């Protein structure tokens, strides 16, 4: 069985982002970019399934500009077998939306024919949480989202997924092929060790374009303006209870 | 044991000032003070020890190894020489009451006590020299007597301080004073009853002038994160805590020169200058609490030492209040200033024994966008040394940190720190190295680092390693390194020694200690910033 993992190159989780001075987009030129943390967890889960014998091959895929190849190299260095890079230069005013990405991934899934498609539950730059669900809908495959535990049964060709939902943990059983999106507590991603980095240099990255996949990725939405949230006002240290009462009465008007 | 705790550059000055002054005064008062230790009357007992030949050959007097100057490897190696000979003739010298020889400069009786540390030493009589040496070297292990020459605090003093600092600036509350009396490791506890919180240089000056007139002992305190008991009182010294002086005075964002008060916390300064596109030239594990005044007074090295050098090079100016209240304004922001004597270097590393640092002008290097961190394992110490050499050659200008840890450190960190994840699990290697590079071009630096590491692996210097793929993985590696001190406190009492040793001999110390200590019961480990030793 083949596992396809989709990864995304985003601004690093620990970076404090700023808005560009012309307020059209977030300033990513100077920020460090790396793999989306949920995508790392997805790659790790795919590798663990391969090591457990449930899968034979792990293929990483991404949609993005030429620099996204670094993200694929990271996935290969973690242990993926090969990678597919769908080249697309982003336009900040018309960013690539989950529906377009889902259409591209659907085309890849039809080409590669995997048994399992694992994605991160959301990307930390847009927080959409839509791609996995849309992909499952387009492919008409069952989906197990917010997975916190995945057990694959090869003979029965099913996957048992424990999902983190608002009320607790829900356990569902999916027939393969299926789409799974990973949540934070699924696993702890491994580090890219030097021997693996060395091996990754010889692994293949196939480059395609959306046109070759016959996918129309024209976006219906346009970003008009991006603003920072209003800054929190500093607190005031008061010196007596009377002052507190006075402020609550007159300034905050809650008494 | 060849190397003793005295090698720590952080001997507690308040402890030493007392006996030194006293001994000096005694020597002057005694009528026939034998200023020459090389007295020809006692040739039989005079062992021509290594240090004395050294001194006579260099032709000038040398102060005893109090290590205040932190002269590093050179000083230490000569101290090692001294201790060997001293131990070689221990019985002999104990009997003859002669412990240490140095050739004093001739005709010094006109010097007053307090004219300078070095001259005090020269005037000590032979008997006193013996006692001073013992106290110096055994300061941590022996109980130190309170010098009666220092006055005891009385309510008039407190009311005077209150008149200068206001009621908020004078703390006598038992709990708060108790916290200020104990050091970060919990090893050293003073008995001070008064904590002062000045808010300006003027207030510091008035406090010190008053304490000088009243002969009250003072200990300056910053973040109290020192690991060797230098920031807490020994007896009932008045604690002057500079944490209230935390204003940033100015920042020149063209040249990257930061002027701030001594009580600014290092992490706050880092955040501030990083906002402007610069970084602080030093970074320590204690950055969340340590203050820049303390860093400068102890000449802190830290993780960025290998790239940006010592504080002697990065501090451009200081404002210091001397013990008698005089304010010495050396706060220049010029990169180069040859007018007059460069006195600020005396205060960098003097640990508050010459004056309290109140303002700092420090040079901040530009913040470089691309950082890469790798965590590697090596089989033996020789490979670590070769790796350092190779790193300096191949990575050259982009290397910004090279940290060496041994297996025990990693085990300790893994067991006792929360939230850390072992980068190289299940591997039996004995030594670990963390390398960080900082440069301006991400892909170029990463390619350089990868190429270097792969080459090192092929050469057999490195047995395994990981490269951090994003900032959280990099911070995990740093958390392991910076958290070793924290983790070691959780195991039990810690004896920590700050040593400067030639690189080849570094790990020999650990092995030597292990052979003398039941090391299954005691963790003997070394974590070293190899940059400092080069």
């Amino acid at each position: 069985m083949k596992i396809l993992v989709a990864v995304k190159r985003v601004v690093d989780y620990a970076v404090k982002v700023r808005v560009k001075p012309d307020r059209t987009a977030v300033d990513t030129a100077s920020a460090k970019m790396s793999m989306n943390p949920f995508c790392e967890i997805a790659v790790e889960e795919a590798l663990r399934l391969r090591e457990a014998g449930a899968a034979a091959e792990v293929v990483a895929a991404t949609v993005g500009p030429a620099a996204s190849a670094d993200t694929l190299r990271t996935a290969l260095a973690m242990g993926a077998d090969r990678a597919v890079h769908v080249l697309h230069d982003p336009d900040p005013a018309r960013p690539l939306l989950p529906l377009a990405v889902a259409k591209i991934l659907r085309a890849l899934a039809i080409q590669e024919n995997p048994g399992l498609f694992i994605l991160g539950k959301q990307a930390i730059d847009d927080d959409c949480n839509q791609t996995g669900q849309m992909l499952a809908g387009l492919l008409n495959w069952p989906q197990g989202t917010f997975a916190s535990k995945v057990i694959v049964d090869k003979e029965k060709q099913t996957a048992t997924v424990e999902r983190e939902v608002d009320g607790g943990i829900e356990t569902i059983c999916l027939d393969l092929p299926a789409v799974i999106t990973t949540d934070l507590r699924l696993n702890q991603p491994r580090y890219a060790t030097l021997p693996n980095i060395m091996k990754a240099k010889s692994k293949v990255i196939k480059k395609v374009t959306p046109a070759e996949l016959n996918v129309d990725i024209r976006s219906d939405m346009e970003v008009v303006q991006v603003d920072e949230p209003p800054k929190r006002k500093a607190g005031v240290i008061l010196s007596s209870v009377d002052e507190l009462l006075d402020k609550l009465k007159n300034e905050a008007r809650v008494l | 044991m060849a190397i003793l705790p005295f090698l720590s550059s952080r001997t507690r000055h308040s402890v030493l000032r007392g006996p030194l002054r006293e001994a000096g005064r005694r020597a002057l008062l005694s009528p026939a003070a034998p200023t020459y230790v090389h007295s020809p009357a006692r040739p039989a007992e005079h062992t021509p020890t290594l240090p004395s030949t050294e001194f006579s050959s260099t032709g000038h007097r040398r102060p005893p190894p109090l290590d205040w100057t932190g002269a590093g490897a050179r000083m230490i190696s000569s101290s090692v020489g001294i201790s060997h000979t001293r131990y070689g003739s221990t019985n002999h010298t104990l009997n003859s009451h002669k412990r240490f020889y140095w050739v004093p400069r001739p005709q010094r009786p006109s010097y007053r006590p307090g004219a300078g540390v070095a001259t005090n030493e020269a005037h000590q009589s032979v008997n006193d020299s013996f006692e001073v040496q013992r106290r110096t070297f055994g300061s941590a292990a022996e109980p130190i007597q309170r010098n009666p020459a220092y006055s005891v605090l009385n309510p008039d003093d407190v009311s005077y301080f209150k008149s200068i600092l206001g009621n908020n600036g004078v703390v006598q509350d038992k709990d708060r004073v108790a916290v200020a009396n104990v050091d970060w490791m919990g090893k050293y506890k003073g008995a001070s009853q008064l904590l002062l919180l000045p808010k300006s240089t003027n207030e510091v000056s008035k406090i010190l002038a008053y304490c000088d007139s009243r002969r009250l002992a003072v200990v300056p305190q910053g973040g109290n994160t020192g690991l060797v008991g230098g920031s807490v009182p020994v007896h009932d010294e008045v604690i002057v805590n500079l944490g209230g002086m935390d204003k940033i005075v100015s920042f020149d964002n063209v040249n990257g020169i930061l002027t701030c008060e001594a009580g600014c916390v290092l992490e706050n300064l880092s955040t501030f200058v990083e906002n402007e596109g610069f970084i602080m030239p030093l970074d320590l594990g204690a950055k969340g609490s340590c203050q820049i005044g303390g860093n400068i007074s102890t000449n802190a090295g830290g993780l960025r030492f290998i790239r940006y050098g010592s504080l002697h090079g990065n501090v451009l100016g200081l404002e210091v209040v001397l013990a008698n209240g005089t304010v010495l304004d050396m706060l220049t922001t010029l990169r180069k200033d040859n007018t007059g004597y460069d006195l600020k270097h005396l205060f960098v590393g003097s640990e508050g024994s010459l004056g309290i640092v109140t303002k700092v002008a420090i040079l901040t290097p530009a913040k470089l966008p691309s950082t890469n961190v790798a965590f590697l394992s090596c089989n033996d110490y020789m490979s670590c040394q070769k790796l350092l050499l190779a790193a300096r050659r191949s990575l050259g200008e982009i290397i910004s940190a090279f940290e060496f840890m041994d297996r025990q450190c990693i085990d300790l960190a893994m067991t006792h720190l929360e939230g850390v994840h072992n980068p190289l699990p299940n591997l039996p290697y004995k030594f670990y190295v963390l390398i960080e590079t900082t440069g301006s071009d991400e892909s170029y630096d990463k390619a350089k680092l990868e190429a270097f590491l792969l080459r090192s692996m092929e050469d057999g210097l490195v047995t395994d390693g990981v490269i951090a793929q994003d900032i959280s993985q990099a911070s995990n590696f740093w958390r392991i390194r910076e958290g070793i001190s924290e983790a070691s406190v959780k195991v039990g009492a810690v004896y920590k020694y700050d040593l400067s040793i030639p690189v080849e001999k570094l790990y020999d110390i650990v092995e030597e200690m292990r052979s003398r200590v039941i090391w299954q019961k005691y963790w003997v480990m070394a974590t070293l910033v190899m940059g400092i030793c080069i």
Side-chain angles (χ1 to χ4, degrees):
Chain A
M1 181 177 76
K2 200 190 299 187
I3 301 184
L4 207 51
V5 182
V7 296
K8 185 177 181 186
R9 176 177 179 263
V10 297
V11 178
D12 193 298
Y13 156 73
V15 168
K16 282 196 171 57
V17 286
R18 281 192 219 179
V19 177
K20 274 203 263 209
D22 57 2
R23 288 152 80 195
T24 51
V26 167
D27 182 16
T28 54
S30 54
K32 179 167 166 75
M33 309 287 277
S34 53
M35 196 194 287
N36 183 28
F38 295 106
C39 298
E40 274 179 11
I41 296 174
V43 173
E44 173 65 20
E45 193 56 29
L47 296 173
R48 285 191 191 186
L49 286 172
R50 187 189 64 192
E51 279 157 17
E57 196 186 13
V58 172
V59 183
T62 194
V63 183
S68 293
D70 291 335
T71 319
L72 287 178
R73 288 266 165 237
T74 305
L76 292 172
M78 283 171 77
D81 298 300
R82 57 186 171 85
V84 178
H85 184 180
V86 181
L87 284 158
H88 166 78
D89 279 309
D91 174 10
R94 286 183 178 275
L96 203 60
L97 294 174
L99 185 58
V101 175
K103 288 182 194 168
I104 295 176
L105 293 180
R106 171 179 174 271
L108 282 179
I110 292 172
Q111 258 186 13
E112 298 276 347
N113 214 359
L116 207 54
F117 210 128
I118 311 186
L119 301 90
K121 74 171 180 184
Q122 65 195 56
I124 59 173
D125 53 3
D126 54 21
D127 281 334
C128 283
N129 193 354
Q130 297 165 12
T131 313
Q133 290 87 335
M134 286 179 177
L135 177 62
L138 289 171
L139 285 170
N140 210 14
W141 286 4
Q143 54 178 285
T145 51
F146 313 109
S148 67
K149 194 157 171 193
V150 175
I151 303 168
V152 170
D153 190 333
K154 247 178 114 172
E155 292 89 42
K156 290 197 221 140
Q157 285 286 296
T158 58
T160 309
V161 175
E162 284 183 20
R163 307 176 55 222
E164 286 188 16
V165 294
D166 289 341
I169 309 267
E170 180 190 48
T171 312
I172 57 175
C173 190
L174 313 166
D175 287 328
L176 300 184
V179 170
I180 293 180
T181 65
T182 61
D183 206 332
L184 206 54
R185 272 166 279 273
L186 180 55
N187 58 43
Q188 175 79 259
R190 63 190 64 181
Y191 292 97
T193 58
L194 285 178
N196 284 343
I197 294 178
M198 211 154 34
K199 282 186 225 156
K201 291 195 188 301
S202 53
K203 289 181 188 167
V204 172
I205 297 185
K206 188 167 93 169
K207 291 198 195 330
V208 286
T209 61
E212 287 168 31
L213 296 170
N214 286 329
V215 176
D216 176 19
I217 52 167
R218 212 165 15 104
S219 162
D220 294 334
M221 293 205 322
E222 184 190 338
V223 173
V224 172
Q225 189 179 290
V226 179
D227 278 315
E228 280 182 23
K231 287 215 175 0
R232 273 188 64 191
K233 280 197 288 232
V236 177
I237 296 182
L238 305 171
S239 51
S240 71
V241 178
D242 295 318
E243 214 182 319
L244 174 65
L245 285 175
D246 174 57
K247 286 213 187 260
L248 285 175
K249 247 189 236 172
N250 301 325
E251 285 186 26
R253 290 182 205 282
V254 293
L255 284 181
Chain B
M1 173 77 188
I3 312 275
L4 281 186
F6 70 79
L7 285 179
S8 164
S9 63
R10 306 206 178 147
T11 46
R12 291 181 281 172
H13 43 276
S14 54
V15 167
L16 302 167
R17 219 187 281 137
L20 290 179
R21 275 221 188 131
E22 212 180 344
R25 220 172 297 125
R26 247 187 289 151
L28 289 176
L29 293 174
S30 60
T35 48
Y36 306 113
V37 182
H38 270 303
S39 43
R42 296 189 266 189
E45 294 166 81
H46 178 174
T47 325
T49 55
L50 188 56
S52 57
T53 38
E54 258 187 344
F55 301 151
S56 45
S57 67
T58 52
H60 54 73
R61 178 181 43 78
R62 199 165 154 280
L66 287 174
D67 255 26
W68 293 17
T69 54
R74 179 181 55 90
M75 186 99 155
I76 298 303
S77 53
S78 46
S79 304
V80 170
I82 292 166
S83 68
H84 272 128
T85 49
R86 193 182 336 104
Y87 277 115
S89 52
T90 298
N91 297 332
H92 170 83
T93 52
L94 274 172
N95 293 336
S96 67
H97 280 268
K98 266 198 281 226
R99 286 274 284 196
F100 184 80
Y101 296 93
W102 61 92
V103 180
R105 224 180 282 159
Q107 75 271 348
R108 284 291 174 182
S110 55
Y111 273 55
R112 297 167 291 115
V117 170
T119 49
N120 277 340
E121 269 43 88
H123 290 293
Q124 280 153 25
S125 61
V126 171
N127 290 339
D128 292 335
S129 72
F130 171 79
E131 288 159 40
V132 170
Q133 293 306 64
R134 287 202 61 190
R135 261 184 223 144
T136 313
F137 301 147
S139 64
E142 296 176 3
I144 294 131
Q145 301 305 319
R146 186 188 185 280
N147 187 344
Y150 289 111
S151 317
V152 177
L153 202 60
N154 63 36
D156 291 334
D157 300 326
V158 178
S159 46
Y160 180 76
F161 290 135
K162 282 191 176 154
S163 71
I164 311 175
L165 303 172
N167 278 338
N168 284 337
V170 176
V171 177
Q172 287 183 291
D173 170 45
K174 290 258 179 304
D175 296 327
R176 284 176 72 183
V177 171
V179 167
N181 263 318
V182 183
D183 76 323
W184 188 82
M185 300 281 274
K187 273 181 74 186
Y188 302 106
K189 189 164 161 48
S192 170
Q193 283 146 10
L194 190 65
L195 170 63
L196 298 179
L197 304 168
K199 287 223 177 269
S200 73
T201 309
N202 220 356
E203 288 176 5
V204 176
S205 167
K206 287 192 188 141
I207 294 172
L208 288 184
Y210 182 75
C211 290
D212 186 48
S213 68
R214 272 274 295 136
R215 306 190 124 264
L216 289 169
V218 166
V219 57
Q221 189 179 80
N224 198 7
T225 56
L227 302 169
V228 292
S231 51
V232 291
V234 181
H235 296 294
D236 57 348
E237 294 96 283
V238 172
I239 306 175
V240 176
N241 188 308
L242 297 183
M245 298 175 59
D246 59 357
K247 275 191 283 301
I248 293 177
V249 174
S250 71
F251 183 66
D252 173 356
N253 54 11
V254 171
N255 295 312
I257 298 175
L258 172 71
T259 313
C260 62
E261 292 186 328
C264 294
V265 172
L266 186 61
E267 194 167 32
N268 294 346
L269 290 178
S270 270
T271 319
F272 173 79
V273 299
E274 271 167 30
N275 242 351
E276 309 276 339
F278 294 86
I279 54 167
M280 290 300 284
L282 80 162
D283 189 25
L284 334 160
K287 57 180 172 252
S289 323
C290 68
Q291 294 169 12
I292 190 75
N295 290 140
I296 286 173
S297 300
T298 52
N299 194 14
L303 310 164
R304 294 185 185 148
F305 188 93
I306 192 176
R307 176 76 171 256
Y308 301 113
S310 136
L311 276 176
H312 280 284
N314 289 309
V315 166
L316 299 176
L318 287 180
E319 185 191 71
V320 179
V321 181
L322 301 178
N324 61 1
T326 316
V327 175
L328 212 58
D329 182 1
M330 303 171 288
L331 200 66
T332 166
T333 53
L334 297 171
R335 292 292 302 274
K336 176 178 174 176
D337 185 5
N338 288 336
T339 59
Y341 295 114
D342 208 357
L343 289 178
K344 63 175 188 285
H345 290 293
L346 281 179
F347 297 98
V348 176
S350 68
E351 302 179 14
S353 59
L354 296 176
I356 298 186
V357 171
T358 48
K359 281 205 189 67
V360 173
I362 190 165
L363 181 66
T364 59
K367 179 171 159 71
L368 296 168
S370 116
T371 308
N372 286 302
V373 184
F375 201 86
L376 317 162
S377 63
C378 302
N379 244 338
D380 55 22
Y381 186 63
M382 188 49 81
S383 332
C384 295
Q385 289 183 58
K386 288 189 189 155
L387 188 65
L388 174 60
L389 197 58
R392 299 197 89 148
R393 293 236 173 85
S394 315
L395 297 176
E397 70 284 1
I398 60 171
I399 192 167
S400 61
F402 191 104
E403 302 279 313
F404 160 82
M405 293 151 273
D406 62 6
R407 168 123 219 143
Q408 276 77 13
C409 298
I410 303 290
D411 289 341
L412 207 61
M414 289 302 142
T415 328
H416 296 281
L417 288 177
E418 294 124 26
V420 285
H421 183 212
N422 191 346
L424 292 167
N426 312 324
L427 294 171
Y429 302 114
K430 286 166 55 194
F431 301 101
Y432 294 88
V433 169
L434 185 150
I435 298 185
E436 188 194 53
T437 66
T438 310
S440 45
D441 189 338
E442 169 103 43
S443 41
Y444 172 68
D445 288 348
K446 194 157 192 170
K448 214 164 157 178
L449 180 64
E450 273 179 19
F452 162 67
L453 290 176
L454 293 176
R455 220 176 18 250
S456 309
M457 229 172 135
E458 282 162 27
D459 292 340
L461 293 177
V462 168
T463 47
D464 201 355
V466 291
I467 300 184
Q469 299 297 320
D470 53 36
I471 299 185
S472 355
Q473 289 185 357
S475 356
N476 189 33
F477 295 165
W478 275 117
R479 175 94 184 89
I480 297 173
R481 160 63 185 103
E482 290 175 341
I484 290 174
S485 291
E486 197 187 314
S488 58
V489 174
K490 295 190 185 162
V491 175
V494 181
Y495 288 89
K496 197 174 265 287
Y497 304 115
D498 216 349
L499 308 175
S500 296
I501 294 168
V503 180
E504 318 74 74
K505 305 239 170 26
L506 260 173
Y507 210 67
D508 295 344
I509 301 251
V510 180
E511 317 219 300
E512 181 76 32
M513 277 247 47
R514 282 204 186 126
S515 68
R516 286 156 192 267
V517 150
I518 310 164
W519 68 276
Q520 287 83 1
K521 274 182 74 180
Y522 301 100
W523 298 73
V524 180
M525 54 200 197
T527 154
L528 307 155
V529 180
M530 285 173 108
I532 292 184
C533 307
I534 296 291

